[in-house]
């Protein structure tokens, strides 16, 4: 008697990393070491996805956002997201610092956060990108900070000489 065994599904190798499939999320401790960890992870991710031309700007932006998130959050962790879409790198950090409901506290806290992100603002502006912060839309609330770095502008910032349309 012959037994038929199911044929194993043909397993295809995962696609190689490209800019278009760059999608990463990290949860980091809200600790002084986390900006350095975020910088190292960002460098590795961008190298793997052949985005070396945006590395200088992206590493600076990730570092500034991670330091700010770790400074403001009352929680033990912060969340980092890196995505590449429409010829731009999108960096998002979430911290659990709640947005203030009292108008004067909200204005003061926003001014403090904006002051903390002065260098980030300069980097993003030189890359012709955009940045901001506001309420986190995820359950649990907190603050969402983000920056968008167009590849062409970030490449010019890095001085690689490579430009992309």
């Amino acid at each position: 008697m012959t037994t038929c065994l199911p044929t194993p599904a043909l397993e295809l190798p995962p696609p190689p990393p490209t800019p278009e499939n760059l999608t990463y999320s990290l949860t980091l401790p809200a600790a002084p070491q986390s900006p350095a960890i975020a910088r190292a992870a960002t460098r590795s991710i961008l190298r793997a996805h052949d985005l070396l031309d945006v590395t200088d700007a992206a590493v600076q932006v990730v570092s500034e956002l991670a330091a700010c998130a770790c400074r403001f959050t009352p929680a033990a962790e912060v969340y980092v997201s890196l995505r590449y879409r429409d010829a731009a790198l999108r960096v998002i950090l979430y911290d659990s610092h709640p947005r203030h409901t009292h108008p004067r506290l909200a204005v003061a806290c926003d001014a403090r956060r904006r002051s903390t992100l002065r260098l980030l603002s300069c980097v993003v502006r030189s890359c012709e990108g955009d940045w901001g912060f506001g309420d986190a839309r995820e359950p649990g609330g907190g603050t969402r900070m983000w920056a968008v770095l167009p590849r062409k502008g970030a490449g010019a910032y890095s001085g690689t000489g490579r430009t992309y349309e």
Side-chain angles (χ1 to χ4, degrees):
M1 176 188 247
T2 306
T3 306
C4 289
L5 297 174
T7 306
L10 180 63
E11 291 188 31
L12 298 175
T18 65
E20 290 71 28
N21 64 15
L22 188 154
T23 303
Y24 290 84
S25 300
L26 308 163
T27 301
L28 298 172
Q33 303 86 342
S34 288
I37 294 167
R39 287 191 301 270
T42 299
R43 275 190 201 96
S44 294
I45 290 165
L46 295 176
R47 183 176 29 255
H49 287 267
D50 196 28
L51 285 166
L52 294 174
D53 50 315
V54 303
T55 300
D56 291 345
V59 165
Q60 188 67 53
V61 164
V62 166
S63 184
E64 296 299 318
L65 288 173
C68 183
C70 290
R71 178 180 180 195
F72 277 82
T73 192
E77 298 175 331
V78 297
Y79 175 81
V80 182
S81 170
L82 298 172
R83 306 278 186 267
Y84 187 82
R85 301 287 180 272
D86 302 322
L89 182 68
R90 288 154 168 72
V91 180
I92 302 172
L93 266 96
Y94 294 93
D95 65 62
S96 65
H97 184 275
R99 303 289 292 159
H100 297 280
T101 55
H102 189 280
R104 279 188 294 184
L105 285 176
V107 168
C109 189
D110 286 356
R112 188 170 154 219
R113 192 178 287 261
R114 210 172 276 108
S115 174
T116 301
L117 295 170
R118 278 190 311 254
L119 180 57
L120 170 124
S121 177
C122 292
V123 172
V124 172
R125 186 174 39 248
S126 71
C127 294
E128 299 178 6
D130 197 11
W131 73 279
F133 59 88
D135 290 324
R137 294 174 265 193
E138 282 65 32
T143 301
R144 174 183 176 262
M145 298 180 292
W146 53 270
V148 177
L149 299 172
R151 189 171 188 181
K152 184 177 181 179
Y157 173 87
S158 298
T160 61
R162 294 171 64 185
T163 57
Y164 297 86
E165 299 301 323

